[in-house]
Amino acid sequence: MSDGDRCREFSVVICVYTEDRWGDILAAVDSVRAQSLPALETLLVVDHNEPLRARLAQTYRDEVARREVRVLANAGPRGLSSGRNTGIAVARGEFVAFLDDDAVAERDWLRWFAAGYDDPRVMAVGGRTLPAWASGRRPAWFPEEFDWVVGCTYRGLPPGRVRVRNVLGGNASFRRTAFDAAGGFATGIGRDGDRRPLGCEETELCIRLATAVPEAVLLIDDRAVIHHQVPVARERFGYFRTRAYAEGLSKALVARSVGATKGLEAERRYTTRVLPAGVLRGLRDALLARPGGAGRAAAIVAGVTSAAAGYAWATLRTRRTGTTFASGPIERRAGAQETAEGAADGTAEAAPGGLAASEAAA
């Protein structure tokens, strides 16, 4: 670890919404507290679930008192984007990292993030997300090219430390100043609890960041590894197809906001080069009598078809009604820290305002 790594302080934001993931949440926090480069603080942002907020505040009562863990209520509308914005608004670190609530980070996760910021032009560093299948193994039909369906790094992304258009939100970090330049995550796009699994909020933010700071560099370092839980329900073809359709919906919103050239730049290479190669690989495996080859080829075709259908529907809808998500500047909430870090009973209250009142339609 370099001296530069030692002086880099990370606030780690974990957005949570359901007690059904209680064990996963505790494991995620434990993985942050075990980092070789210690985090300045772990911010648990609870999405409109007061019993869960109170339970977490009580569980981490001692850590809250030491300001190692802070438990916050989402101060904006329901959803992942405003939860992240709530964390950003009160973060004390020079860098803000995001970890999914059903994932665990390897010990050097923050260390590899920190190393990426040696170049002052670097505004964001993401990592590699590996699936932890609940059944113990990848379904034979599930193509690696579609691991993004379960929130993981997919076949087609280049290895090593490479420059990218956007990082993946469940395993990412940003300079705090990136949000000063570009604003926060857009609301009205992305996850909202157990509703339709939309996404792309980090894509839209990263494109907006590159526009606001033309010299900005965004990286993925595949040594910054997390392991993401994949429940049995998400190993099924029905979820695969639904998630692909939702991705098409999300891509249409992003393209409408930032333009198809920027919004679909990486997707064109993916659909014209990566996916055809995956289909051919699956067909070859089928000819060689290898398990799942035909299923993987068919799943790729089905995934593309579902995503295209979602994109077409959302494009038509947004032409008629306009976009439905909004972004705006993040208001720093330094004065809210003491409120968030708890009264005498160790509980934590909401930090007011994730986004500024001047939120503008995208």
Side-chain angles (χ1 to χ4, degrees):
M1 184 189 305
S2 69
D3 290 340
D5 292 341
R6 295 178 189 279
C7 67
R8 290 183 178 139
E9 293 186 327
F10 282 82
S11 296
V12 178
V13 176
I14 302 174
C15 295
V16 304
Y17 71 98
T18 176
E19 289 184 83
D20 292 344
R21 293 186 176 180
W22 181 256
D24 292 335
I25 294 168
L26 299 186
V29 174
D30 286 347
S31 74
V32 174
R33 298 182 67 200
Q35 289 295 298
S36 60
L37 176 64
L40 174 65
E41 58 187 352
T42 301
L43 306 177
L44 289 169
V45 184
V46 184
D47 194 15
H48 298 270
N49 185 334
E50 176 56 23
L52 175 58
R53 188 207 63 78
R55 185 179 180 187
L56 285 168
Q58 182 60 36
T59 298
Y60 290 107
R61 180 187 181 100
D62 293 341
E63 290 81 1
V64 167
R66 296 194 298 267
R67 306 185 71 180
E68 296 171 0
V69 174
R70 301 163 67 191
V71 182
L72 311 168
N74 180 359
R78 188 180 301 275
L80 181 58
S81 290
S82 57
R84 287 172 173 166
N85 291 337
T86 297
I88 295 164
V90 302
R92 294 184 288 124
E94 180 186 0
F95 304 93
V96 182
F98 299 95
L99 179 66
D100 278 347
D101 64 341
D102 54 354
V104 293
E106 292 192 358
R107 178 172 170 76
D108 291 330
W109 178 61
L110 289 180
R111 175 176 174 266
W112 291 119
F113 277 172
Y117 291 105
D118 287 343
D119 183 342
R121 298 175 302 162
V122 173
M123 300 298 285
V125 182
R128 179 160 54 112
T129 302
L130 301 177
W133 303 96
S135 62
R137 65 174 61 183
R138 172 187 296 275
W141 62 268
F142 202 113
E144 292 182 17
E145 291 83 359
F146 273 78
D147 276 5
W148 55 263
V149 164
V150 291
C152 296
T153 302
Y154 55 91
R155 183 193 289 266
L157 289 177
R161 182 194 287 179
V162 293
R163 189 167 182 172
V164 294
R165 179 195 65 182
N166 64 275
V167 295
L168 304 180
N171 179 10
S173 66
F174 293 82
R175 288 188 190 272
R176 181 61 182 76
T177 53
F179 303 108
D180 297 334
F185 289 90
T187 58
I189 188 173
R191 292 276 182 166
D192 181 0
D194 289 320
R195 293 176 60 190
R196 174 171 283 168
L198 297 172
C200 294
E201 66 278 6
E202 66 273 7
T203 301
E204 192 275 339
L205 171 62
C206 288
I207 293 173
R208 193 165 11 104
L209 174 59
T211 300
V213 186
E215 68 277 13
V217 173
L218 286 72
L219 301 175
I220 285 182
D221 188 334
D222 64 8
R223 296 169 295 184
V225 176
I226 70 169
H227 299 266
H228 189 269
Q229 297 294 325
V230 182
V232 171
R234 296 187 181 183
E235 297 183 9
R236 297 170 182 156
F237 182 72
Y239 179 83
F240 177 91
R241 186 174 54 190
T242 299
R243 178 67 183 87
Y245 181 81
E247 184 73 1
L249 297 176
S250 302
K251 292 296 184 189
L253 290 175
V254 172
R256 180 75 172 175
S257 174
V258 302
T261 299
K262 292 181 179 179
L264 300 176
E265 181 180 18
E267 288 73 15
R268 290 190 182 94
R269 175 187 175 277
Y270 173 74
T271 55
T272 59
R273 296 176 60 183
V274 175
L275 294 185
V279 171
L280 291 176
R281 189 163 38 250
L283 294 175
R284 181 197 63 195
D285 288 348
L287 290 173
L288 295 174
R290 293 172 179 166
R296 289 192 296 274
I300 291 174
V301 174
V304 171
T305 302
S306 296
Y311 183 88
W313 167 248
T315 299
L316 178 62
R317 185 180 62 185
T318 55
R319 283 176 181 170
R320 292 176 176 174
T321 63
T323 53
T324 57
F325 64 94
S327 61
I330 295 286
E331 285 186 1
R332 295 206 186 204
R333 296 288 181 175
Q337 290 174 11
E338 289 73 21
T339 302
E341 283 154 1
D345 64 356
T347 62
E349 302 299 330
L355 281 176
S358 58
E359 235 179 28

